[in-house]
Amino acid sequence: MSFLVRRGDESVVQEFATACSAGSVGALRRMLAPQAVVVSDGGGQVAAAPHPVRGADAVAQCVTELLSLQPGTALTVQAVNGQAGVVLRRAGAVVAVVSLTVTGAKVAAVWIVLNPDKLRHWL
């Protein structure tokens, strides 16, 4: 898997984070490439899409549902796999890590790790 957010694409990641914080399907939709895809991993322990979701409308809806911010959730932009990404924490514990593939000024792919076993090393 390749997680590609080049220098200069940090503004796209920040915009993505802002749209997620707002829970705005429309804002997410506008920043997605038409053939965008989201892959999520819940490890069978938390809700995640069982298969990749394709198409900007479906991806925007899926991301909004998976990353819905419950009270007490903090969302930050920070390094994920050496690139700008998004980390969600609830009660101080990491509950999701998001990597993006950015093409031009659009998000082409969203990779969401929700699996608690894979998030244990995150601080």
Side-chain angles (χ1 to χ4, degrees):
M1 269 189 256
S2 166
F3 301 105
L4 305 171
V5 178
R6 297 176 310 275
R7 185 174 300 279
D9 291 337
E10 291 92 353
S11 63
V12 176
V13 176
Q14 184 60 56
E15 185 179 344
F16 180 89
T18 300
C20 287
S21 289
S24 175
V25 174
L28 281 169
R29 168 64 186 91
R30 285 187 293 278
M31 50 183 327
L32 294 169
Q35 299 303 319
V37 63
V38 62
V39 176
S40 59
D41 174 7
Q45 298 178 59
V46 295
H51 304 286
V53 174
R54 299 181 187 282
D57 291 332
V59 168
Q61 186 65 43
C62 180
V63 168
T64 301
E65 290 172 9
L66 290 176
L67 301 181
S68 63
L69 299 184
Q70 299 172 7
T73 302
L75 185 148
T76 58
V77 173
Q78 65 184 80
V80 174
N81 295 326
Q83 304 293 333
V86 179
V87 177
L88 282 77
R89 289 181 174 79
R90 199 168 295 127
V94 173
V95 294
V97 173
V98 182
S99 296
L100 304 174
T101 299
V102 177
T103 303
K106 297 288 186 177
V107 174
V110 181
W111 310 87
I112 305 173
V113 177
L114 301 155
N115 183 338
D117 292 335
K118 293 182 178 178
L119 297 174
R120 288 189 181 154
H121 73 280
W122 281 85
L123 301 174

